[in-house]
Amino acid sequence: MGILLNNFQSQMKELTDSELSAFVALDNRPELLFSSNLTRLSNELLSSNSTLIRLTQKLGFTGFTEFRTEIKKLIEQTSYSSQPDLLERYQFFFNDILPQINPDKLEYFADKIYSSNNVFIIGLGLTKPIAEYMSKYLYQLDRASIYVYENHMLDLLPNLLHRGDLVIFISESGETKSLLSCASKAAQSSATLLSITNSQHNTLNHTTHMSLTSRMPENHYHNYDVTSRVFQTAIIDLVLDIYLNKYLKTPAD
């Protein structure tokens, strides 16, 4: 969620189409507020001075100047990068985080993938490609799975679950509302629920039977979580490597 959406979402219903268009454009590129005056900003957003002034007033400000000052403060409060060097983050993960991951948990995930009747892998947003990666990897290992990435399918999934099924939720924060709603409903079934997240203590992990976490420091830009998802992918690779070596390879291999 962008910085404007995060702080002014309740006022959006009061905006006209042209004001909403400018609002969304600014939410995507709030830095434009500081590189342009009102007229140049209007041209950049394909809007008008009067539209932007009405927008700022509907958001609760006396005018454009006060709006720009407040957004600058919000950006200074929410824009940070705890570990700006990606190489350092890789080193931190492999030297500090990976040795602490319980190998019994990795094996439990692999065992459940092997023994379950049906495997559903769920990922939304930036974790959608990770869910797809895991599902397609399993297909290459002759293990059918279904990856779910649309909200309306999440609503239907709990009704399809039976004893012996497995659902793996992949989420960076573990707090996505649609995932939590699905997990809460799925918990009423007899299926096994697992999660792979970055945050160790989150609602999703507390809803599932077992979780694996990458526990990397978060990186944010304008209120968006831009933490690399590669570390969750590394955990998935570890699980699937155990699955491959334990259940598919023979001594002759």
Side-chain angles (χ1 to χ4, degrees), residues 6-251:
N6 191 59
N7 289 277
F8 306 103
Q9 193 168 21
S10 61
Q11 290 98 312
M12 288 178 63
K13 61 180 180 292
E14 307 295 334
L15 304 180
T16 64
D17 289 344
S18 58
E19 292 161 358
L20 182 60
S21 176
F23 178 92
V24 172
L26 279 175
D27 188 58
N28 291 330
R29 301 174 64 193
E31 65 276 2
L32 288 177
L33 283 167
F34 317 115
S35 60
S36 306
N37 59 30
L38 180 58
T39 300
R40 287 199 300 270
L41 180 64
S42 298
N43 294 332
E44 187 77 26
L45 300 179
L46 302 179
S47 184
S48 67
N49 290 13
S50 58
T51 296
L52 292 183
I53 291 172
R54 287 196 307 270
L55 168 63
T56 60
Q57 291 173 342
K58 287 184 179 180
L59 295 181
F61 301 95
T62 57
F64 178 75
T65 301
E66 184 184 2
F67 170 70
R68 180 165 57 182
T69 301
E70 181 61 24
I71 297 304
K72 183 177 181 180
K73 291 178 182 177
L74 290 173
I75 289 176
E76 289 172 349
Q77 292 169 3
T78 59
S79 296
Y80 67 90
S81 180
S82 55
Q83 287 185 305
D85 185 81
L86 184 59
L87 179 58
E88 289 182 13
R89 278 175 270 162
Y90 274 79
Q91 292 171 335
F92 176 71
F93 177 75
F94 286 106
N95 295 334
D96 296 86
I97 300 299
L98 199 56
Q100 298 181 43
I101 295 178
N102 189 335
D104 291 338
K105 282 190 173 185
L106 296 170
E107 189 157 343
Y108 180 85
F109 271 63
D111 291 346
K112 286 299 179 181
I113 291 172
Y114 177 77
S115 61
S116 297
N117 295 329
N118 301 295
V119 179
F120 300 90
I121 303 171
I122 299 176
L124 303 178
L126 291 179
T127 58
K128 172 189 170 184
I130 304 177
E132 182 179 5
Y133 167 78
M134 187 175 190
S135 179
K136 290 183 176 180
Y137 197 142
L138 284 171
Y139 267 93
Q140 293 182 105
L141 301 180
D142 299 324
R143 183 63 170 101
S145 64
I146 299 171
Y147 79 97
V148 181
Y149 55 90
E150 295 177 332
N151 283 319
H152 73 279
M153 296 303 293
L154 289 180
D155 293 335
L156 299 173
L157 179 60
N159 301 326
L160 305 176
L161 298 176
H162 301 284
R163 183 179 299 277
D165 289 343
L166 171 66
V167 184
I168 301 175
F169 295 90
I170 305 174
S171 172
E172 181 70 19
S173 68
E175 300 294 347
T176 304
K177 290 182 179 180
S178 53
L179 289 183
L180 294 179
S181 177
C182 178
S184 178
K185 296 174 184 176
Q188 307 306 312
S189 71
S190 300
T192 298
L193 310 182
L194 305 177
S195 57
I196 300 173
T197 64
N198 183 53
S199 169
Q200 187 172 13
H201 302 291
N202 59 67
T203 307
L204 181 61
N205 285 357
H206 293 311
T207 306
T208 58
H209 296 98
M210 185 173 289
S211 62
L212 289 167
T213 58
S214 50
R215 295 188 290 124
M216 292 297 294
E218 294 181 0
N219 290 329
H220 291 257
Y221 183 72
H222 296 331
N223 248 34
Y224 286 104
D225 186 346
V226 294
T227 309
S228 175
R229 271 63 173 172
V230 70
F231 307 107
Q232 289 170 295
T233 307
I235 290 175
I236 290 170
D237 281 340
L238 290 172
V239 169
L240 297 183
D241 189 63
I242 291 173
Y243 175 84
L244 172 63
N245 286 284
K246 184 173 183 179
Y247 294 111
L248 301 184
K249 285 191 174 182
T250 65

